[in-house]
Amino acid sequence: MKKIIIILSMILLIQKVSYAQNNIDQLLELGIANAQRFGKDYFTPAGEALVNNMSNGWYKTAKVKKLWYFDIGIVGNLSFIRDEKQSFILNVTEYDGVFFQDGSPSKVIATAFGENPAETTLVLDQGAGAPVIVALPDGIGGMSTGMIPSGFLQASMGISRSTEIKFRGLPTTKVRDNATIGLYGVGLQHEFTDWIFAWKRLPFRVSAIVGYTRVKGMYNFESSEQITAEGQEIRLRSNSWLVSAIMSTKLPKLNFYGGFGFYTGSNTADVLGRYTVQNGPLASQAVVDPISIKNTTNGVKATFGSSMKISFFRVNLDYTLQNYNNLSFGVDFVW
C-alpha cells in the first residue's frame, strides 16, 4: 500500500521521478478501514493541488477572436506547495486498534508532498496474535517537494460574435514503463465589451470564461513478496472547473490582464485488483478493489499577468493567488 500511494502521487502530479521501493501491501495489513483512513489524509493535498493546477492557464487576454480565427500553443503550470500541506497530524484514536510503537497519541506525518524526519511505524494490536508493524511512507521519491508542474497543448477559435471556444489536451502518454496519463478540457469565453458600440471605446476589455479539465491516469504495478495479486492497477480520475471574470488592456504589443473567479473539482483514486494479504485482519482473505480515495476542493482565485505579441507568436506569463499559488507560462501561434 505504501508504494501504491507513492505511485498514485506520481500519476497525479504528472511528472517522471524515482520512487522509494516499499512493500505494496503494508498498509493493507492494518485492515481496509485503517488503510483508507491513512490514504485519505496522505492523498488529499495532492488532489487539491491537481485541481488548483489544472484550473489555470485558460486565458491571457479578455479579447475573443473573430469568427474562425484561432491560435494554438503550449501551456505550462507550476503550482507551489505550502509547508503545512506537506504533513498532517495522525491521531491514533481515529484508527481501529492502532498505536505508535513509542506510545505517542499523535504524530506529524508526511503527506504525498512531505518527508518523515525518521522512520515512523504504526502497530496493529491483534490481541492474542502477534502485532503487525507497518512503516509509514514518505512523500514523492522519499523526499519533500515544494512544487508540481504540468504541461499540455491548448487551442482557441472564434465561433460566433464575441465568443470563442477553447480546447486543451495531452494525449495518453507513458510517464513510466507501466504508467500512462492523459487529459482533455474545453472552455467557452465571451467578451461583454463587444456588445455595445460605446463600450468598444473603453481602454480595456471585459469577458468571462467557463473551463473544464479532466485528467485520467493508470499504473500497473508488480506485487511484492508478501502478497498474491491479480490485475493490480491504480486508476485516477480528476475533474476541475473554472468560472472567472477577465479584464485586459488594449495596447498594440504588450498587454496586461487579470481575472477573479471560482474553481472547484474532485479526484477519485482507485486501487484495483485481487489481493491476498498474509498478515493482519485480512490474512488469507481475497480482497478485491480494496482502496478508493475521493476528495473535493473549491475556492476563489485572482490572476495577474502580461502578454506580448511578436509577429505571429504571443507569449504570456501570469501568477495566480489561490490555495496552491500557481505560475503559468504560454507560447501561442496566432492567426
Side-chain angles (χ1 to χ4, degrees):
M1 182 62 188
K2 183 189 293 188
K3 189 173 180 181
I4 285 175
I5 296 176
I6 293 176
I7 296 173
L8 176 60
S9 302
M10 174 200 70
I11 297 175
L12 173 74
L13 302 178
I14 320 174
Q15 48 188 331
K16 185 175 181 180
V17 294
S18 298
Y19 295 88
Q21 300 298 313
N22 298 304
N23 293 329
I24 291 174
D25 65 334
Q26 279 197 306
L27 288 178
L28 288 177
E29 291 180 344
L30 299 177
I32 291 179
N34 286 332
Q36 183 87 8
R37 180 70 183 87
F38 181 87
K40 181 77 173 178
D41 288 334
Y42 184 92
F43 175 81
T44 293
E48 293 174 346
L50 180 61
V51 171
N52 278 246
N53 186 285
M54 288 298 165
S55 64
N56 288 292
W58 275 111
Y59 57 86
K60 67 276 297 181
T61 179
K63 179 182 179 181
V64 300
K65 295 168 184 60
K66 298 178 182 179
L67 183 63
W68 309 132
Y69 279 57
F70 69 91
D71 65 28
I72 186 170
I74 58 172
V75 175
N77 287 322
L78 187 64
S79 294
F80 302 96
I81 314 301
R82 302 191 308 276
D83 290 345
E84 59 265 33
K85 295 295 184 178
Q86 297 182 13
S87 63
F88 69 96
I89 297 177
L90 192 158
N91 190 329
V92 293
T93 61
E94 299 174 353
Y95 290 73
D96 185 15
V98 169
F99 59 92
F100 285 111
Q101 199 165 22
D102 63 3
S104 301
S106 64
K107 284 190 177 185
V108 177
I109 302 299
T111 68
F113 296 127
E115 181 180 10
N116 293 312
E119 183 177 81
T120 305
T121 57
L122 278 178
V123 181
L124 175 67
D125 185 0
Q126 297 194 98
V132 177
I133 301 176
V134 173
L136 299 180
D138 288 324
I140 302 165
M143 64 184 68
S144 61
T145 181
M147 59 188 69
I148 59 169
S150 69
F152 43 84
L153 299 173
Q154 185 159 293
S156 304
M157 183 176 67
I159 58 173
S160 69
R161 183 176 179 270
S162 307
T163 303
E164 71 179 36
I165 191 168
K166 300 173 182 286
F167 297 97
R168 58 173 44 174
L170 176 70
T172 301
T173 305
K174 279 190 175 183
V175 292
R176 293 190 63 150
D177 291 341
N178 299 322
T180 61
I181 189 165
L183 69 88
Y184 64 85
V186 62
L188 283 175
Q189 182 173 334
H190 185 82
E191 183 179 344
F192 298 106
T193 42
D194 204 27
W195 286 6
I196 300 173
F197 180 77
W199 292 1
K200 295 182 180 181
R201 303 177 66 180
L202 295 172
F204 57 84
R205 304 177 190 272
V206 177
S207 65
I209 187 170
V210 176
Y212 168 78
T213 306
R214 180 174 177 84
V215 179
K216 294 192 291 185
M218 182 274 294
Y219 180 79
N220 290 321
F221 58 90
E222 296 181 0
S223 60
S224 68
E225 296 178 357
Q226 292 83 9
I227 194 169
T228 301
E230 297 176 359
Q232 61 271 29
E233 71 174 29
I234 303 165
R235 291 182 184 175
L236 169 72
R237 300 182 304 278
S238 178
N239 303 279
S240 67
W241 285 91
L242 170 70
V243 179
S244 181
I246 310 167
M247 180 181 290
S248 67
T249 58
K250 290 183 174 181
L251 301 175
K253 294 292 183 180
L254 177 64
N255 277 280
F256 301 92
Y257 61 93
F260 184 82
F262 175 81
Y263 68 89
T264 185
S266 62
N267 297 274
T268 301
D270 297 316
V271 179
L272 306 178
R274 182 183 179 91
Y275 304 84
T276 302
V277 182
Q278 296 183 10
N279 300 307
L282 302 176
S284 302
Q285 297 182 32
V287 182
V288 179
D289 300 345
I291 303 294
S292 183
I293 302 170
K294 301 179 181 179
N295 72 288
T296 60
T297 186
N298 58 72
V300 295
K301 60 193 306 173
T303 298
F304 309 92
S306 63
S307 65
M308 176 178 290
K309 187 174 180 182
I310 306 171
S311 183
F312 293 104
F313 294 92
R314 179 173 55 199
V315 296
N316 72 283
L317 182 70
D318 63 54
Y319 191 80
T320 299
L321 301 174
Q322 55 185 18
N323 191 13
Y324 296 78
N325 292 346
N326 187 87
L327 183 69
S328 288
F329 174 76
V331 179
D332 300 317
F333 171 78
V334 182
W335 182 81

